[in-house]
Coordinates of all heavy atoms in Angstrom, one line a residue:
V458 N -22.4 -1.2 -5.8 CA -23.2 -2.5 -5.6 C -22.8 -3.3 -4.5 O -23.6 -3.8 -3.8 CB -23.2 -3.3 -6.9 CG1 -23.8 -4.6 -6.9 CG2 -23.7 -2.5 -8.1
K491 N -26.7 8.0 3.1 CA -27.7 7.5 2.1 C -28.2 6.1 2.5 O -29.4 5.8 2.5 CB -27.1 7.5 0.7 CG -28.1 7.1 -0.4 CD -27.5 7.2 -1.7 CE -28.4 6.6 -2.8 NZ -27.8 6.7 -4.2
L503 N -21.5 9.0 15.0 CA -20.4 9.4 14.4 C -19.2 9.2 15.4 O -19.2 9.9 16.4 CB -20.5 10.9 13.9 CG -21.6 11.1 12.9 CD1 -21.6 12.6 12.6 CD2 -21.3 10.3 11.6
D504 N -18.4 8.3 15.2 CA -17.1 8.0 16.1 C -16.1 9.0 15.6 O -15.3 8.8 14.6 CB -16.7 6.6 15.8 CG -15.7 6.1 16.9 OD1 -14.8 6.8 17.1 OD2 -16.0 5.1 17.5
I505 N -15.9 10.2 16.4 CA -15.0 11.1 16.0 C -13.6 11.1 16.7 O -13.5 11.0 17.9 CB -15.6 12.5 16.3 CG1 -16.9 12.7 15.6 CG2 -14.6 13.6 15.9 CD1 -17.7 14.0 15.8
T512 N -11.9 23.3 5.9 CA -13.3 23.9 6.2 C -14.3 23.6 5.1 O -15.5 23.5 5.4 CB -13.0 25.3 6.5 OG1 -12.5 26.0 5.3 CG2 -12.3 25.6 7.7
A542 N -14.5 19.5 15.9 CA -15.3 20.1 16.8 C -16.6 20.7 16.1 O -17.7 20.7 16.6 CB -14.6 21.3 17.6
A554 N -15.3 10.5 25.5 CA -14.6 9.6 26.2 C -13.9 10.2 27.4 O -13.7 11.4 27.3 CB -13.6 8.8 25.3
K582 N -18.4 32.7 12.2 CA -19.9 32.7 12.0 C -20.4 31.2 11.9 O -21.4 30.9 12.4 CB -20.3 33.6 10.8 CG -19.9 35.1 10.9 CD -20.7 35.7 12.0 CE -20.5 37.2 12.1 NZ -21.2 37.8 13.1
S591 N -27.9 23.6 17.3 CA -28.2 22.4 18.2 C -28.5 22.9 19.5 O -28.6 22.2 20.5 CB -27.0 21.6 18.2 OG -25.8 22.4 18.6
L608 N -11.9 33.5 28.4 CA -12.5 32.4 29.2 C -11.4 31.7 30.1 O -11.1 30.6 29.9 CB -13.3 31.3 28.4 CG -14.5 31.9 27.6 CD1 -14.9 30.8 26.7 CD2 -15.6 32.4 28.5
K615 N -7.5 35.5 27.1 CA -7.3 36.2 25.8 C -6.0 35.9 25.2 O -4.9 35.8 25.9 CB -7.4 37.7 26.0 CG -7.4 38.5 24.8 CD -7.6 39.9 24.9 CE -9.0 40.2 25.3 NZ -9.4 41.7 25.4
L619 N -10.0 28.0 23.1 CA -10.7 27.2 24.1 C -10.6 25.7 23.6 O -11.1 25.3 22.3 CB -12.2 27.6 24.2 CG -13.0 26.7 25.1 CD1 -12.5 26.7 26.5 CD2 -14.5 27.1 25.1
G640 N -20.6 1.0 24.0 CA -21.8 0.4 24.7 C -22.4 1.3 25.7 O -23.7 1.3 25.8
A665 N -9.4 6.9 -2.7 CA -9.9 8.1 -3.1 C -9.6 9.3 -2.1 O -9.4 10.4 -2.5 CB -11.4 8.1 -3.4
S682 N 2.7 15.7 -15.2 CA 3.3 16.6 -16.2 C 4.8 16.4 -16.4 O 5.3 16.4 -17.6 CB 3.1 18.1 -15.7 OG 3.8 18.3 -14.6
A704 N -0.2 8.6 -13.2 CA -0.6 9.6 -12.3 C -1.9 10.3 -12.7 O -2.7 10.6 -11.8 CB 0.6 10.8 -12.2
G711 N -9.5 8.6 -8.4 CA -9.8 9.1 -7.1 C -11.0 10.1 -7.0 O -11.9 10.0 -6.2
I743 N -3.4 25.2 -33.9 CA -4.8 25.5 -33.4 C -5.4 24.3 -32.8 O -5.9 24.3 -31.7 CB -5.7 26.0 -34.5 CG1 -5.2 27.3 -35.0 CG2 -7.1 26.3 -33.9 CD1 -6.0 27.9 -36.2
L768 N -4.6 26.4 -9.0 CA -3.4 26.4 -8.3 C -2.6 25.2 -8.6 O -1.3 25.2 -8.8 CB -3.5 26.7 -6.9 CG -4.0 28.1 -6.5 CD1 -4.2 28.2 -5.0 CD2 -3.1 29.3 -6.9
M781 N 11.9 20.8 -18.3 CA 12.4 20.9 -19.7 C 13.7 21.7 -19.6 O 14.6 21.4 -20.4 CB 11.3 21.7 -20.5 CG 10.0 20.8 -20.7 SD 8.8 21.8 -21.6 CE 9.6 21.9 -23.3
V835 N 28.3 34.0 -73.9 CA 28.4 32.6 -74.6 C 29.9 32.3 -74.8 O 30.5 33.3 -75.4 CB 27.5 32.5 -75.8 CG1 27.8 31.1 -76.3 CG2 26.1 32.7 -75.3

Side-chain angles (χ1 to χ4, degrees):
V458 172
K491 181 180 178 182
L503 299 175
D504 193 308
I505 300 177
T512 56
K582 293 294 184 184
S591 54
L608 294 175
K615 186 174 288 188
L619 175 64
S682 62
I743 297 177
L768 290 174
M781 292 180 68
V835 178

